[in-house]
Amino acid sequence: MQFKIRRATVALALFSALTVGPTIAQEKAPAPTPATQAAPTAPAKVMEQGALDLLKKMSAKLASTPSFLVRTRSSSEAPGGTGQFLTFFTESVIAVKRPNKLSAEIRGDAPPFDFYFNGEKMTAYEPIHKLYATTDAPKTLDELPSFAAKTAGILLPFEDVIYSDPYTTLTQDMTSAFYAGFSVIHGVRCEHVALAAPGIEGQIWIDAKTDLPCLIAGTLLNVQGAPRFTVEFYDWKLKPELPDKLFTFAKPKGAEPMDFRALTGAGR
């Protein structure tokens, strides 16, 4: 199971190094003493067909949607200077046009950032200081997440919803999947699926009427302290008017270029 959010090593927000802040994100929580360490309990491996069927329906709905606009609320944990985990919040507006266009506006517990991808260029822009970074990019959304992570240290916690075949991506390396009942989120019944893969325990809540994801949550087992994250999806628009210029960065007057990893803090 790819469940790509696991790529974030400390904090899971649209841009890990940006939304948490480079200084805090680089700090490490102190290791517990041997006397307080508890032996981890491996979860039972269960593979329920009903849970897989829910994932298939969600994935089919996403894959068959040529364009969409969605809002997200993200929370992520990162260790502060004392080792205590702190929680950070981010809100985003994400626009997708398959097969090769994405834009995102990110606001929250960090300086605001905007992101553009049009199948030719990938650009991140920080409007407060008018700083931007841009580079040639791959041609499809399927290639974007790994490229953004490797090239710029940019992590996309919502990336599972942009793939052309989300089900294959979600279930690769999966070790467990089961139906955990349902929850009512903001008045909407959402079917609750629990997933596991090496290094992560994840959960997805899926709208029972629309088959769209309501919420994704996870725990990063291989990261010290096992930090948690959530990404809530809401206000889905499946037939939006998305002009191509929305996905292309137009440099504002006075904006200055810089290296991607300097901009995101990933190189620190």
Side-chain angles (χ1 to χ4, degrees):
M1 181 180 85
Q2 290 290 74
F3 210 60
K4 298 290 186 176
I5 304 171
R6 69 187 180 201
R7 286 207 203 110
T9 57
V10 177
L12 272 294
L14 178 59
F15 303 111
S16 176
L18 301 181
T19 50
V20 177
T23 302
I24 293 177
Q26 298 302 318
E27 294 172 334
K28 295 183 179 180
T33 63
T36 60
Q37 272 185 321
T41 302
K45 294 183 179 181
V46 180
M47 200 69 71
E48 292 183 357
Q49 187 59 49
L52 296 177
D53 289 342
L54 285 169
L55 291 179
K56 286 180 181 177
K57 289 176 65 178
M58 182 193 76
S59 300
K61 181 61 174 281
L62 290 168
S64 65
T65 303
S67 63
F68 60 82
L69 188 71
V70 65
R71 295 178 179 271
T72 71
R73 298 185 186 99
S74 303
S75 68
S76 58
E77 294 182 344
T82 65
Q84 176 181 347
F85 272 91
L86 306 177
T87 302
F88 298 88
F89 298 95
T90 302
E91 295 194 1
S92 304
V93 181
I94 299 149
V96 170
K97 183 183 286 189
R98 302 187 188 281
N100 60 1
K101 292 179 175 61
L102 180 147
S103 70
E105 180 183 278
I106 306 97
R107 302 295 183 264
D109 291 343
F113 269 80
D114 300 326
F115 182 77
Y116 304 87
F117 168 71
N118 62 6
E120 296 179 359
K121 296 286 185 180
M122 180 182 77
T123 305
Y125 175 60
E126 198 274 87
I128 291 181
H129 300 98
K130 291 189 174 182
L131 300 172
Y132 72 95
T134 191
T135 185
D136 293 336
K139 295 183 178 180
T140 67
L141 288 167
D142 284 350
E143 301 169 276
L144 176 63
S146 60
F147 176 84
K150 182 178 179 180
T151 304
I154 292 175
L155 306 167
L156 309 175
F158 56 81
E159 64 186 72
D160 289 303
V161 307
I162 71 176
Y163 287 105
S164 60
D165 184 3
Y167 181 78
T168 296
T169 304
L170 282 167
T171 56
Q172 184 178 344
D173 301 328
M174 181 186 289
T175 58
S176 178
F178 63 91
Y179 179 64
F182 72 90
S183 302
V184 177
I185 301 175
H186 301 302
V188 175
R189 173 176 170 137
C190 298
E191 309 295 352
H192 186 185
V193 176
L195 312 172
I200 186 169
E201 291 176 353
Q203 302 173 74
I204 300 181
W205 287 260
I206 302 169
D207 190 311
K209 290 185 177 180
T210 67
D211 296 326
L212 293 167
C214 305
L215 184 71
I216 291 176
T219 302
L220 303 177
L221 303 176
N222 292 342
V223 178
Q224 190 173 31
R228 296 167 293 181
F229 63 87
T230 64
V231 184
E232 179 187 356
F233 299 86
Y234 68 101
D235 195 20
W236 285 90
K237 291 179 172 57
L238 304 186
K239 295 182 179 180
E241 294 290 332
L242 300 176
D244 285 347
K245 65 180 181 180
L246 179 66
F247 307 98
T248 300
F249 176 66
K251 188 181 81 168
K253 183 178 180 180
E256 296 291 336
M258 68 184 307
D259 177 78
F260 256 116
R261 290 185 173 270
L263 183 65
T264 64
R268 299 187 185 186

